[in-house]
Amino acid sequence: MSNDAVSAVINVDIEGPQISKHVYGHFAEHLGRCIYGGFYVGEDSDIPNVRGIRLDVVEALRALDIPNLRWPGGCFADEYHWMDGIGPKEDRAVMINTHWGGVEEDNSFGTHEFMDLCELLETEPYIAGNVGSGTVREMSEWIEYLTREGDSPMVRLRKANGREAPWKVKFWGLGNEPWGCGGNMNAEQYALEARKFATYCRDYGDNKLYRIAAGAADADYQWTQKLMEQLGHLGCQRVERKLYQAVSLHYYTIGGTWDKKGDAKEFSTDEYYTTMLKALHTDELLTGHSNVMDLYDPTKEIGIVMDEWGTWWDVEPGTNPGFLYQQNTMRDALVASLHFDIFHKHADRLVMANIAQTVNVLQAMILTDPDSGALVLTPTYHVFQMNKGHQDAASLRVDAPAGLPTREVDGKELPTVSVSASRKDGRLLVSLSNLDAEAGQDVEVDLRGGGLGEFEALILTADSLQAHNTPEALEAVAPRAHEGVKLEGSKLRVHLPAHSFVTVSGALA
Ligand code: AHR
């Protein structure tokens, strides 16, 4: 079954705002098996590792060109005291991870291990500092420890712990979810705290911090407004700089309710459509928060960092409820592809987005088997891979003069076709998703203002929306070459099977 063909137009010679590579960012928290067992197995593990870091995970993520990694939380960030995680491992303090399963955290993965991981991944660190239970001094000293050259107490401590040269750290978070797990503050309280903490987040040498104030959840526009009101300027400097350069936003796609989120693998078609409608809500949220910010910052100097997004399902049966371990199906892949189309559309304000979370937690790229250690790449991983050419590319507007097909879901209109496009280094990348669960869709894309030469088409789909990968079926959902794309003059005719994601890339002639 196929729906009637639809048309879209892309003016390939009219470049829109650049899509920040950082919207393909990641998030790794001390939560369940994300850090321990996921990234870090310790030096004595049988799993091949370098200084305790799993090599297979590093290799898989390097193939995605991941631009940044946010750490150590999440909620964990606001009870993390960085000095507990430096120095000889046997001397490191043990703490209780009260948010996530009440497990003991031995701090064997700390600052040096995280920076080592970032170097192995060739990715930029994004550190979330502790505002909830930490002090201004503690945060300030962490930055000195990480980034200062020369001679000072924290520099001496770093060198004593084996690291001579400072690291480069740009992205710095001023707490996490302060309206909840990060201190239960109201917007006024946090806005004042953010000003204070930001003041002492110093730039050392040529290390320039990009300070990210902890923003709203969902449609809490009042929170964003309060933060924008308190933006202020860094005092005592000739160069006027804002206290923070971005505000964050968290939004999770939850098919059901917070109490009953739904099963990750067993769901009805109706539940699937509800999920896609919830994912689409991200577009409305980015528009809404950006509109509030426009009132204070019409030139869009201050960015939005959507540093937590993705699906959140009930945990897999038999696993620790505090570990947030869930499977990942073709449905999750389409949630991701739809998010990227939305992110590309908001390239003028959205500077970063971090999927939650990279390994073994929530909408992960990678699942590792706790017994055999086997590594599974999820359908979501493949969307990141197929879309990586959009990183730092110029966005291209996609128009559908006659409209796109829609279906009514829960009293609202859900467009069932989603398209985005970009160009970089003379190459075009078009991403197309067919959200229809059962019907195929033909799309005729008119490429105006430039021809396309040789191209490659890839497809990610499966027999069912519930399809997922396991150690026994590693490629149940994996990209394949797609024969259903034809180029006729300036027209790209793309066949999208039901519930599929397709990319077409090639050199512009
Ligand atoms: O990603 C899991 C949790 O979700 C994070 O720790 C928190 O910030 C959010 O509520």
Side-chain angles (χ1 to χ4, degrees):
M1 181 171 62
S2 231
N3 289 325
D4 292 344
V6 292
S7 310
V9 178
I10 301 175
N11 291 303
V12 295
D13 56 343
I14 304 178
E15 295 192 352
Q18 181 168 316
I19 298 165
S20 165
K21 66 177 177 182
H22 290 293
V23 302
Y24 286 83
H26 289 262
F27 172 33
E29 180 165 13
H30 287 237
L31 193 179
R33 295 189 299 111
C34 183
I35 297 293
Y36 300 108
F39 279 107
Y40 189 75
V41 285
E43 289 173 32
D44 299 332
S45 172
D46 292 338
I47 296 171
N49 67 81
V50 51
R51 296 177 292 280
I53 296 168
R54 277 184 79 137
L55 279 173
D56 52 358
V57 168
V58 168
E59 192 191 334
L61 293 174
R62 278 175 65 116
L64 297 185
D65 294 342
I66 78 165
N68 66 71
L69 185 61
R70 177 177 184 244
W71 173 85
C75 295
F76 181 80
D78 280 296
E79 63 177 353
Y80 180 65
H81 299 281
W82 70 273
M83 283 214 187
D84 293 344
I86 56 170
K89 295 201 183 201
E90 57 280 12
D91 297 340
R92 295 189 190 176
V94 173
M95 66 177 284
I96 310 301
N97 190 337
T98 60
H99 287 291
W100 306 120
V103 294
E104 286 179 9
E105 159 67 59
D106 69 3
N107 276 306
S108 53
F109 188 92
T111 298
H112 289 251
E113 290 75 20
F114 174 66
M115 296 307 291
D116 193 9
L117 171 63
C118 289
E119 284 177 350
L120 290 170
L121 292 171
E122 292 185 30
T123 198
E124 286 192 59
Y126 166 13
I127 294 184
N130 180 346
V131 169
S133 71
T135 64
V136 172
R137 175 177 179 173
E138 188 181 0
M139 189 183 286
S140 176
E141 288 184 339
W142 199 3
I143 295 164
E144 180 189 333
Y145 185 91
L146 283 158
T147 64
R148 196 173 185 281
E149 249 180 305
D151 186 30
S152 68
M154 290 304 115
V155 175
R156 278 185 218 161
L157 187 58
R158 183 187 71 227
K159 289 183 179 173
N161 287 330
R163 173 78 187 196
E164 207 41 43
W167 289 282
K168 283 268 175 269
V169 180
K170 177 176 176 187
F171 301 112
W172 195 270
L174 304 164
N176 172 76
E177 298 193 350
W179 37 263
C181 65
N184 278 310
M185 295 177 233
N186 62 38
E188 287 79 3
Q189 268 177 299
Y190 172 72
L192 295 176
E193 286 293 295
R195 283 182 77 108
K196 193 169 62 180
F197 273 79
T199 305
Y200 298 95
C201 290
R202 304 289 191 199
D203 290 342
Y204 291 110
D206 62 355
N207 191 78
K208 301 279 177 265
L209 291 176
Y210 187 87
R211 301 169 192 79
I212 300 159
D218 310 343
D220 186 354
Y221 300 120
Q222 197 231 346
W223 188 280
T224 300
Q225 187 189 335
K226 282 282 167 247
L227 280 184
M228 293 305 291
E229 274 170 11
Q230 293 293 330
L231 194 55
H233 292 92
L234 281 178
C236 310
Q237 290 192 1
R238 289 204 189 89
V239 182
E240 196 178 71
R241 292 193 60 185
K242 300 272 191 295
L243 280 167
Y244 33 88
Q245 287 70 46
V247 298
S248 70
L249 170 66
H250 289 182
Y251 174 66
Y252 284 96
T253 299
I254 294 168
T257 62
W258 278 105
D259 286 338
K260 187 78 196 107
K261 301 176 200 75
D263 195 283
K265 306 190 293 294
E266 285 169 30
F267 50 88
S268 66
T269 305
D270 283 349
E271 285 174 289
Y272 159 73
Y273 280 123
T274 298
T275 303
M276 299 319 292
L277 192 67
K278 299 255 185 110
L280 184 69
H281 186 48
T282 297
D283 189 15
E284 200 177 315
L285 292 175
L286 287 171
T287 304
H289 287 284
S290 191
N291 284 347
V292 172
M293 293 168 77
D294 280 348
L295 298 173
Y296 302 85
D297 172 37
T299 55
K300 299 192 188 338
E301 233 184 278
I302 304 297
I304 293 180
V305 166
M306 193 167 182
D307 53 18
E308 290 187 29
W309 69 274
T311 56
W312 194 324
W313 306 117
D314 294 335
V315 297
E316 287 299 306
T319 64
N320 187 328
F323 282 14
L324 310 187
Y325 177 76
Q326 64 189 40
Q327 248 297 356
N328 194 297
T329 65
M330 191 59 217
R331 171 176 66 170
D332 295 84
L334 291 171
V335 168
S337 65
L338 182 57
H339 268 82
F340 285 127
D341 290 343
I342 296 167
F343 292 166
H344 300 163
K345 185 172 147 193
H346 289 274
D348 60 346
R349 176 74 87 176
L350 186 69
V351 296
M352 187 192 285
N354 309 70
I355 192 164
Q357 301 189 6
T358 324
V359 190
N360 290 333
V361 171
L362 299 176
Q363 192 175 351
M365 310 304 104
I366 293 173
L367 302 176
T368 64
D369 189 284
D371 302 320
S372 67
L375 179 139
V376 173
L377 302 179
T378 65
T380 300
Y381 174 95
H382 296 303
V383 174
F384 274 73
Q385 189 171 39
M386 290 164 71
N387 253 9
K388 71 180 184 181
H390 288 300
Q391 293 190 21
D392 278 348
S395 58
L396 298 173
R397 205 172 119 167
V398 180
D399 289 305
L404 289 171
T406 59
R407 71 178 284 136
E408 199 186 309
V409 179
D410 304 335
K412 293 191 173 142
E413 292 286 291
L414 172 74
T416 50
V417 172
S418 180
V419 186
S420 68
S422 71
R423 62 177 292 167
K424 184 171 76 174
D425 302 333
R427 289 183 69 79
L428 175 73
L429 174 57
V430 185
S431 299
L432 308 100
S433 301
N434 179 13
L435 308 184
D436 197 301
E438 277 135 17
Q441 180 70 57
D442 291 308
V443 184
E444 185 183 281
V445 185
D446 188 1
L447 302 174
R448 294 193 190 152
L452 186 62
E454 292 249 314
F455 66 87
E456 182 193 37
L458 292 173
I459 184 164
L460 188 74
T461 191
D463 291 347
S464 76
L465 278 161
Q466 290 76 10
H468 55 277
N469 297 331
T470 63
E472 295 71 40
L474 289 172
E475 303 213 338
V477 189
R480 297 186 168 84
H482 186 34
E483 301 301 328
V485 181
K486 303 272 171 296
L487 184 64
E488 289 164 19
S490 71
K491 299 260 194 302
L492 198 58
R493 297 185 200 283
V494 185
H495 176 66
L496 302 172
H499 57 261
S500 65
F501 174 58
V502 167
T503 53
V504 183
S505 61
L508 285 163

mmCIF file of all heavy atoms in Angstrom, residues 27 29-31 70 72-78 99-100 176-177 179 181-182 250 252 258 307-309 312 324 355-357 361-362, ligand 1:
data_model
loop_
_atom_site.group_PDB
_atom_site.id
_atom_site.type_symbol
_atom_site.label_atom_id
_atom_site.label_comp_id
_atom_site.label_asym_id
_atom_site.label_seq_id
_atom_site.Cartn_x
_atom_site.Cartn_y
_atom_site.Cartn_z
ATOM 1 N N PHE A 27 25.284 12.427 25.913
ATOM 2 C CA PHE A 27 25.140 12.630 27.348
ATOM 3 C C PHE A 27 25.452 11.310 28.055
ATOM 4 O O PHE A 27 24.917 10.264 27.677
ATOM 5 C CB PHE A 27 23.701 13.094 27.623
ATOM 6 C CG PHE A 27 23.289 13.172 29.063
ATOM 7 C CD1 PHE A 27 24.190 13.504 30.069
ATOM 8 C CD2 PHE A 27 21.968 12.930 29.427
ATOM 9 C CE1 PHE A 27 23.781 13.585 31.398
ATOM 10 C CE2 PHE A 27 21.546 13.007 30.745
ATOM 11 C CZ PHE A 27 22.468 13.331 31.728
ATOM 12 N N GLU A 29 25.821 9.852 31.987
ATOM 13 C CA GLU A 29 25.667 10.121 33.428
ATOM 14 C C GLU A 29 26.134 8.915 34.241
ATOM 15 O O GLU A 29 26.121 7.774 33.757
ATOM 16 C CB GLU A 29 24.179 10.400 33.702
ATOM 17 C CG GLU A 29 23.865 10.692 35.158
ATOM 18 C CD GLU A 29 22.475 11.308 35.354
ATOM 19 O OE1 GLU A 29 21.661 11.284 34.420
ATOM 20 O OE2 GLU A 29 22.231 11.828 36.457
ATOM 21 N N HIS A 30 26.496 9.175 35.476
ATOM 22 C CA HIS A 30 26.747 8.065 36.407
ATOM 23 C C HIS A 30 25.371 7.519 36.782
ATOM 24 O O HIS A 30 24.768 7.939 37.770
ATOM 25 C CB HIS A 30 27.507 8.547 37.643
ATOM 26 C CG HIS A 30 28.944 8.864 37.350
ATOM 27 N ND1 HIS A 30 29.996 8.267 38.002
ATOM 28 C CD2 HIS A 30 29.489 9.696 36.434
ATOM 29 C CE1 HIS A 30 31.145 8.730 37.519
ATOM 30 N NE2 HIS A 30 30.854 9.608 36.576
ATOM 31 N N LEU A 31 24.870 6.670 35.953
ATOM 32 C CA LEU A 31 23.496 6.175 36.078
ATOM 33 C C LEU A 31 23.480 4.756 35.511
ATOM 34 O O LEU A 31 23.854 4.563 34.344
ATOM 35 C CB LEU A 31 22.567 7.096 35.275
ATOM 36 C CG LEU A 31 21.054 7.023 35.446
ATOM 37 C CD1 LEU A 31 20.346 8.043 34.574
ATOM 38 C CD2 LEU A 31 20.442 5.674 35.295
ATOM 39 N N ARG A 70 28.383 15.188 27.322
ATOM 40 C CA ARG A 70 28.000 15.856 28.576
ATOM 41 C C ARG A 70 28.159 14.864 29.734
ATOM 42 O O ARG A 70 27.721 13.715 29.650
ATOM 43 C CB ARG A 70 26.550 16.331 28.468
ATOM 44 C CG ARG A 70 25.990 16.971 29.720
ATOM 45 C CD ARG A 70 24.574 17.470 29.442
ATOM 46 N NE ARG A 70 24.006 18.175 30.567
ATOM 47 C CZ ARG A 70 22.940 17.755 31.243
ATOM 48 N NH1 ARG A 70 22.322 16.635 30.913
ATOM 49 N NH2 ARG A 70 22.472 18.468 32.250
ATOM 50 N N PRO A 72 28.952 14.968 34.467
ATOM 51 C CA PRO A 72 28.657 13.610 34.940
ATOM 52 C C PRO A 72 27.159 13.363 35.137
ATOM 53 O O PRO A 72 26.776 12.274 35.537
ATOM 54 C CB PRO A 72 29.366 13.583 36.296
ATOM 55 C CG PRO A 72 29.261 14.976 36.818
ATOM 56 C CD PRO A 72 29.348 15.868 35.602
ATOM 57 N N GLY A 73 26.312 14.313 34.880
ATOM 58 C CA GLY A 73 24.856 14.156 34.961
ATOM 59 C C GLY A 73 24.259 15.363 34.293
ATOM 60 O O GLY A 73 25.003 16.216 33.788
ATOM 61 N N GLY A 74 22.992 15.408 34.280
ATOM 62 C CA GLY A 74 21.916 14.818 34.982
ATOM 63 C C GLY A 74 21.878 15.132 36.493
ATOM 64 O O GLY A 74 22.628 15.935 37.046
ATOM 65 N N CYS A 75 20.868 14.511 37.077
ATOM 66 C CA CYS A 75 20.662 14.682 38.520
ATOM 67 C C CYS A 75 21.939 14.378 39.296
ATOM 68 O O CYS A 75 22.197 14.986 40.343
ATOM 69 C CB CYS A 75 19.518 13.789 38.997
ATOM 70 S SG CYS A 75 17.921 14.254 38.305
ATOM 71 N N PHE A 76 22.739 13.442 38.809
ATOM 72 C CA PHE A 76 23.960 13.078 39.524
ATOM 73 C C PHE A 76 24.905 14.282 39.650
ATOM 74 O O PHE A 76 25.635 14.409 40.640
ATOM 75 C CB PHE A 76 24.661 11.914 38.797
ATOM 76 C CG PHE A 76 25.914 11.447 39.478
ATOM 77 C CD1 PHE A 76 25.848 10.602 40.582
ATOM 78 C CD2 PHE A 76 27.160 11.847 39.023
ATOM 79 C CE1 PHE A 76 27.008 10.170 41.223
ATOM 80 C CE2 PHE A 76 28.328 11.418 39.655
ATOM 81 C CZ PHE A 76 28.245 10.579 40.756
ATOM 82 N N ALA A 77 24.877 15.162 38.677
ATOM 83 C CA ALA A 77 25.831 16.288 38.662
ATOM 84 C C ALA A 77 25.710 17.140 39.911
ATOM 85 O O ALA A 77 26.707 17.684 40.405
ATOM 86 C CB ALA A 77 25.606 17.154 37.420
ATOM 87 N N ASP A 78 24.482 17.259 40.426
ATOM 88 C CA ASP A 78 24.266 18.150 41.559
ATOM 89 C C ASP A 78 24.517 17.487 42.909
ATOM 90 O O ASP A 78 24.233 18.088 43.952
ATOM 91 C CB ASP A 78 22.859 18.766 41.494
ATOM 92 C CG ASP A 78 22.822 19.929 40.503
ATOM 93 O OD1 ASP A 78 23.509 20.927 40.742
ATOM 94 O OD2 ASP A 78 22.130 19.810 39.478
ATOM 95 N N HIS A 99 20.150 9.203 43.494
ATOM 96 C CA HIS A 99 19.124 9.328 42.451
ATOM 97 C C HIS A 99 18.914 8.021 41.702
ATOM 98 O O HIS A 99 17.813 7.723 41.258
ATOM 99 C CB HIS A 99 19.517 10.401 41.441
ATOM 100 C CG HIS A 99 19.388 11.775 41.990
ATOM 101 N ND1 HIS A 99 18.173 12.343 42.273
ATOM 102 C CD2 HIS A 99 20.324 12.678 42.331
ATOM 103 C CE1 HIS A 99 18.365 13.551 42.763
ATOM 104 N NE2 HIS A 99 19.652 13.775 42.808
ATOM 105 N N TRP A 100 20.000 7.305 41.510
ATOM 106 C CA TRP A 100 19.938 6.199 40.566
ATOM 107 C C TRP A 100 20.262 4.861 41.220
ATOM 108 O O TRP A 100 21.387 4.380 41.164
ATOM 109 C CB TRP A 100 20.850 6.485 39.356
ATOM 110 C CG TRP A 100 20.520 7.816 38.745
ATOM 111 C CD1 TRP A 100 21.349 8.876 38.609
ATOM 112 C CD2 TRP A 100 19.255 8.214 38.191
ATOM 113 N NE1 TRP A 100 20.690 9.934 38.019
ATOM 114 C CE2 TRP A 100 19.390 9.552 37.754
ATOM 115 C CE3 TRP A 100 18.017 7.595 38.028
ATOM 116 C CZ2 TRP A 100 18.348 10.265 37.172
ATOM 117 C CZ3 TRP A 100 16.974 8.317 37.450
ATOM 118 C CH2 TRP A 100 17.142 9.621 37.023
ATOM 119 N N ASN A 176 21.955 21.434 36.966
ATOM 120 C CA ASN A 176 21.045 20.629 36.145
ATOM 121 C C ASN A 176 19.669 20.591 36.806
ATOM 122 O O ASN A 176 19.555 20.331 38.011
ATOM 123 C CB ASN A 176 21.587 19.197 36.027
ATOM 124 C CG ASN A 176 20.598 18.249 35.361
ATOM 125 O OD1 ASN A 176 20.426 18.283 34.147
ATOM 126 N ND2 ASN A 176 19.941 17.408 36.154
ATOM 127 N N GLU A 177 18.661 20.832 36.043
ATOM 128 C CA GLU A 177 17.269 20.759 36.528
ATOM 129 C C GLU A 177 17.109 21.329 37.941
ATOM 130 O O GLU A 177 16.638 20.645 38.869
ATOM 131 C CB GLU A 177 16.751 19.306 36.445
ATOM 132 C CG GLU A 177 16.728 18.791 35.024
ATOM 133 C CD GLU A 177 15.945 17.493 34.801
ATOM 134 O OE1 GLU A 177 15.547 16.849 35.792
ATOM 135 O OE2 GLU A 177 15.735 17.141 33.629
ATOM 136 N N TRP A 179 14.984 23.184 39.078
ATOM 137 C CA TRP A 179 13.569 23.214 39.484
ATOM 138 C C TRP A 179 13.153 21.880 40.096
ATOM 139 O O TRP A 179 12.059 21.740 40.624
ATOM 140 C CB TRP A 179 12.678 23.526 38.261
ATOM 141 C CG TRP A 179 13.181 22.893 36.994
ATOM 142 C CD1 TRP A 179 13.955 23.495 36.039
ATOM 143 C CD2 TRP A 179 12.998 21.543 36.563
ATOM 144 N NE1 TRP A 179 14.248 22.610 35.043
ATOM 145 C CE2 TRP A 179 13.677 21.404 35.328
ATOM 146 C CE3 TRP A 179 12.338 20.437 37.069
ATOM 147 C CZ2 TRP A 179 13.708 20.201 34.610
ATOM 148 C CZ3 TRP A 179 12.365 19.238 36.368
ATOM 149 C CH2 TRP A 179 13.050 19.132 35.161
ATOM 150 N N CYS A 181 15.510 17.908 40.743
ATOM 151 C CA CYS A 181 16.594 17.198 41.441
ATOM 152 C C CYS A 181 17.804 18.083 41.713
ATOM 153 O O CYS A 181 18.612 17.787 42.590
ATOM 154 C CB CYS A 181 17.007 15.953 40.664
ATOM 155 S SG CYS A 181 17.732 16.303 39.038
ATOM 156 N N GLY A 182 17.942 19.186 41.023
ATOM 157 C CA GLY A 182 19.109 20.052 41.206
ATOM 158 C C GLY A 182 18.920 21.127 42.251
ATOM 159 O O GLY A 182 19.599 22.163 42.210
ATOM 160 N N HIS A 250 15.104 20.774 28.595
ATOM 161 C CA HIS A 250 14.958 19.315 28.645
ATOM 162 C C HIS A 250 13.553 18.929 28.208
ATOM 163 O O HIS A 250 12.576 19.517 28.664
ATOM 164 C CB HIS A 250 15.171 18.787 30.076
ATOM 165 C CG HIS A 250 16.595 18.867 30.529
ATOM 166 N ND1 HIS A 250 17.024 18.406 31.756
ATOM 167 C CD2 HIS A 250 17.711 19.329 29.901
ATOM 168 C CE1 HIS A 250 18.330 18.593 31.866
ATOM 169 N NE2 HIS A 250 18.773 19.173 30.763
ATOM 170 N N TYR A 252 11.628 15.092 27.204
ATOM 171 C CA TYR A 252 11.658 13.669 26.866
ATOM 172 C C TYR A 252 10.382 13.274 26.136
ATOM 173 O O TYR A 252 9.290 13.765 26.450
ATOM 174 C CB TYR A 252 11.795 12.826 28.140
ATOM 175 C CG TYR A 252 13.207 12.839 28.692
ATOM 176 C CD1 TYR A 252 13.576 13.717 29.699
ATOM 177 C CD2 TYR A 252 14.175 11.989 28.176
ATOM 178 C CE1 TYR A 252 14.879 13.735 30.200
ATOM 179 C CE2 TYR A 252 15.474 11.987 28.662
ATOM 180 C CZ TYR A 252 15.824 12.864 29.668
ATOM 181 O OH TYR A 252 17.105 12.879 30.148
ATOM 182 N N TRP A 258 4.177 9.673 33.046
ATOM 183 C CA TRP A 258 5.384 9.440 33.840
ATOM 184 C C TRP A 258 5.252 8.180 34.686
ATOM 185 O O TRP A 258 6.234 7.493 34.958
ATOM 186 C CB TRP A 258 5.712 10.647 34.730
ATOM 187 C CG TRP A 258 6.448 11.705 33.963
ATOM 188 C CD1 TRP A 258 5.936 12.889 33.519
ATOM 189 C CD2 TRP A 258 7.823 11.668 33.528
ATOM 190 N NE1 TRP A 258 6.907 13.584 32.823
ATOM 191 C CE2 TRP A 258 8.077 12.855 32.826
ATOM 192 C CE3 TRP A 258 8.857 10.741 33.657
ATOM 193 C CZ2 TRP A 258 9.314 13.161 32.245
ATOM 194 C CZ3 TRP A 258 10.103 11.035 33.085
ATOM 195 C CH2 TRP A 258 10.312 12.226 32.390
ATOM 196 N N ASP A 307 19.973 19.883 26.271
ATOM 197 C CA ASP A 307 20.982 18.898 26.685
ATOM 198 C C ASP A 307 20.418 17.612 27.264
ATOM 199 O O ASP A 307 21.188 16.785 27.771
ATOM 200 C CB ASP A 307 22.079 19.519 27.557
ATOM 201 C CG ASP A 307 21.584 20.285 28.748
ATOM 202 O OD1 ASP A 307 20.430 20.083 29.124
ATOM 203 O OD2 ASP A 307 22.369 21.078 29.304
ATOM 204 N N GLU A 308 19.106 17.428 27.141
ATOM 205 C CA GLU A 308 18.518 16.107 27.392
ATOM 206 C C GLU A 308 17.290 15.963 26.502
ATOM 207 O O GLU A 308 16.358 16.770 26.593
ATOM 208 C CB GLU A 308 18.132 15.929 28.867
ATOM 209 C CG GLU A 308 19.346 15.810 29.769
ATOM 210 C CD GLU A 308 19.013 15.470 31.216
ATOM 211 O OE1 GLU A 308 17.989 14.818 31.470
ATOM 212 O OE2 GLU A 308 19.816 15.866 32.087
ATOM 213 N N TRP A 309 17.310 14.963 25.646
ATOM 214 C CA TRP A 309 16.141 14.642 24.830
ATOM 215 C C TRP A 309 16.180 13.150 24.504
ATOM 216 O O TRP A 309 17.212 12.506 24.636
ATOM 217 C CB TRP A 309 16.105 15.475 23.537
ATOM 218 C CG TRP A 309 17.170 15.150 22.518
ATOM 219 C CD1 TRP A 309 18.439 15.661 22.467
ATOM 220 C CD2 TRP A 309 17.057 14.243 21.410
ATOM 221 N NE1 TRP A 309 19.120 15.129 21.405
ATOM 222 C CE2 TRP A 309 18.290 14.259 20.730
ATOM 223 C CE3 TRP A 309 16.035 13.421 20.910
ATOM 224 C CZ2 TRP A 309 18.553 13.487 19.588
ATOM 225 C CZ3 TRP A 309 16.277 12.652 19.772
ATOM 226 C CH2 TRP A 309 17.532 12.704 19.117
ATOM 227 N N TRP A 312 11.750 7.826 26.656
ATOM 228 C CA TRP A 312 11.864 7.290 28.026
ATOM 229 C C TRP A 312 10.734 6.283 28.208
ATOM 230 O O TRP A 312 9.564 6.656 28.260
ATOM 231 C CB TRP A 312 11.749 8.444 29.025
ATOM 232 C CG TRP A 312 12.157 8.119 30.431
ATOM 233 C CD1 TRP A 312 11.967 6.944 31.099
ATOM 234 C CD2 TRP A 312 12.822 8.999 31.352
ATOM 235 N NE1 TRP A 312 12.472 7.037 32.371
ATOM 236 C CE2 TRP A 312 13.005 8.291 32.565
ATOM 237 C CE3 TRP A 312 13.277 10.321 31.293
ATOM 238 C CZ2 TRP A 312 13.611 8.849 33.689
ATOM 239 C CZ3 TRP A 312 13.873 10.870 32.405
ATOM 240 C CH2 TRP A 312 14.046 10.148 33.592
ATOM 241 N N LEU A 324 17.286 2.648 34.451
ATOM 242 C CA LEU A 324 16.726 3.197 33.202
ATOM 243 C C LEU A 324 17.266 2.513 31.943
ATOM 244 O O LEU A 324 17.621 3.156 30.950
ATOM 245 C CB LEU A 324 16.976 4.715 33.109
ATOM 246 C CG LEU A 324 16.586 5.572 34.316
ATOM 247 C CD1 LEU A 324 16.734 7.055 33.986
ATOM 248 C CD2 LEU A 324 15.168 5.292 34.791
ATOM 249 N N ILE A 355 21.519 13.720 23.229
ATOM 250 C CA ILE A 355 20.551 12.633 23.444
ATOM 251 C C ILE A 355 20.874 11.933 24.759
ATOM 252 O O ILE A 355 22.038 11.795 25.145
ATOM 253 C CB ILE A 355 20.532 11.650 22.254
ATOM 254 C CG1 ILE A 355 19.333 10.712 22.369
ATOM 255 C CG2 ILE A 355 21.855 10.890 22.128
ATOM 256 C CD1 ILE A 355 18.993 9.979 21.088
ATOM 257 N N ALA A 356 19.811 11.528 25.450
ATOM 258 C CA ALA A 356 19.973 10.840 26.733
ATOM 259 C C ALA A 356 19.626 9.357 26.522
ATOM 260 O O ALA A 356 18.505 9.067 26.118
ATOM 261 C CB ALA A 356 19.024 11.452 27.772
ATOM 262 N N GLN A 357 20.599 8.524 26.822
ATOM 263 C CA GLN A 357 22.024 8.731 27.078
ATOM 264 C C GLN A 357 22.812 7.739 26.236
ATOM 265 O O GLN A 357 22.249 6.718 25.835
ATOM 266 C CB GLN A 357 22.323 8.534 28.550
ATOM 267 C CG GLN A 357 21.553 9.473 29.459
ATOM 268 C CD GLN A 357 22.036 9.409 30.932
ATOM 269 O OE1 GLN A 357 22.996 8.760 31.293
ATOM 270 N NE2 GLN A 357 21.289 10.123 31.772
ATOM 271 N N VAL A 361 21.484 3.446 28.765
ATOM 272 C CA VAL A 361 20.496 4.223 29.524
ATOM 273 C C VAL A 361 19.575 4.960 28.541
ATOM 274 O O VAL A 361 20.057 5.600 27.600
ATOM 275 C CB VAL A 361 21.183 5.227 30.477
ATOM 276 C CG1 VAL A 361 20.174 6.188 31.094
ATOM 277 C CG2 VAL A 361 21.935 4.489 31.583
ATOM 278 N N LEU A 362 18.260 4.847 28.780
ATOM 279 C CA LEU A 362 17.254 5.529 27.956
ATOM 280 C C LEU A 362 17.509 5.287 26.462
ATOM 281 O O LEU A 362 17.786 4.148 26.080
ATOM 282 C CB LEU A 362 17.189 7.021 28.334
ATOM 283 C CG LEU A 362 16.777 7.274 29.799
ATOM 284 C CD1 LEU A 362 16.812 8.768 30.149
ATOM 285 C CD2 LEU A 362 15.394 6.718 30.098
HETATM 286 O O1 AHR B 1 18.515 11.337 31.942
HETATM 287 C C1 AHR B 1 17.967 10.909 33.145
HETATM 288 C C2 AHR B 1 17.579 12.057 34.059
HETATM 289 O O2 AHR B 1 16.542 12.787 33.484
HETATM 290 C C3 AHR B 1 18.646 13.096 34.315
HETATM 291 O O3 AHR B 1 19.525 12.723 35.318
HETATM 292 C C4 AHR B 1 17.845 14.286 34.723
HETATM 293 O O4 AHR B 1 18.489 15.484 34.424
HETATM 294 C C5 AHR B 1 16.536 14.108 33.979
HETATM 295 O O5 AHR B 1 15.444 14.284 34.789
#
